[in-house]
Amino acid sequence: MRMIVLAYIAFGLTACQPQQVNKAAQQQHFICKSLIEGFLKTQKLGEYQLNHLQPTLHQTAAKREYTYQASADHSMKINMPSQQNLKFECLQKTAEQFDIQLVNPQQTQNQTLLSLSLPPQKTIDTLTAFSLKTQ
């Protein structure tokens, strides 16, 4: 009987362990989120905040869906956005190519808002303002 109880406790504790965030997924998320929020700011839509991300950052994915929701503290303003939620897709086509698309449920195709082409890592390394010296 004790063995069964100990097995349940051990199983319960291992199930509660948080999953590790995938480093590549985290870098991808940083780029995607920065592009989306930069777009929102340029359109004077800074009242939107990230509400949901799919898939989570525990796995890499070529496509991530971002749902932004209008902030609740803007509900008393006259200039309230007509859409409570905005949905974006971030597509990573290659290691250096990202597209941000606006998902519109009334349209069959998504509208590409931004495309980003990063230079190769070797070029980025030569563009840094400083270098770290290893001793």
Side-chain angles (χ1 to χ4, degrees), residues 105-117:
Q106 286 86 26
Q107 296 179 349
T108 56
Q109 272 193 324
N110 297 338
Q111 180 180 1
T112 300
L113 302 173
L114 296 168
S115 290
L116 174 68
S117 296

Side-chain angles (χ1 to χ4, degrees), residues 15-113:
C16 294
Q17 295 293 321
Q19 290 181 320
Q20 293 292 333
V21 174
N22 182 299
K23 188 173 183 173
Q26 193 172 23
Q27 289 173 335
Q28 179 190 47
H29 171 65
F30 176 78
I31 292 169
C32 293
K33 187 174 183 243
S34 297
L35 290 172
I36 293 168
E37 291 180 0
F39 170 78
L40 290 171
K41 286 178 185 174
T42 61
Q43 299 302 309
K44 298 183 180 15
L45 297 171
E47 65 271 7
Y48 284 96
Q49 295 181 356
L50 180 60
N51 184 42
H52 184 71
L53 168 66
Q54 188 66 30
T56 64
L57 299 179
H58 303 298
Q59 57 195 356
T60 57
K63 178 175 84 170
R64 292 194 187 282
E65 295 178 356
Y66 291 78
T67 304
Y68 279 75
Q69 185 174 15
S71 178
D73 42 324
H74 283 79
S75 60
M76 300 305 282
K77 288 191 172 184
I78 296 172
N79 294 336
M80 184 65 183
S82 59
Q83 289 181 279
Q84 274 298 109
N85 295 305
L86 294 176
K87 190 172 186 178
F88 299 91
E89 284 184 355
C90 181
L91 307 169
Q92 185 173 6
K93 295 179 174 183
T94 66
E96 295 91 16
Q97 180 69 37
F98 291 84
D99 284 354
I100 301 297
Q101 297 181 341
L102 179 63
V103 177
N104 187 342
Q106 286 86 26
Q107 296 179 349
T108 56
Q109 272 193 324
N110 297 338
Q111 180 180 1
T112 300
L113 302 173

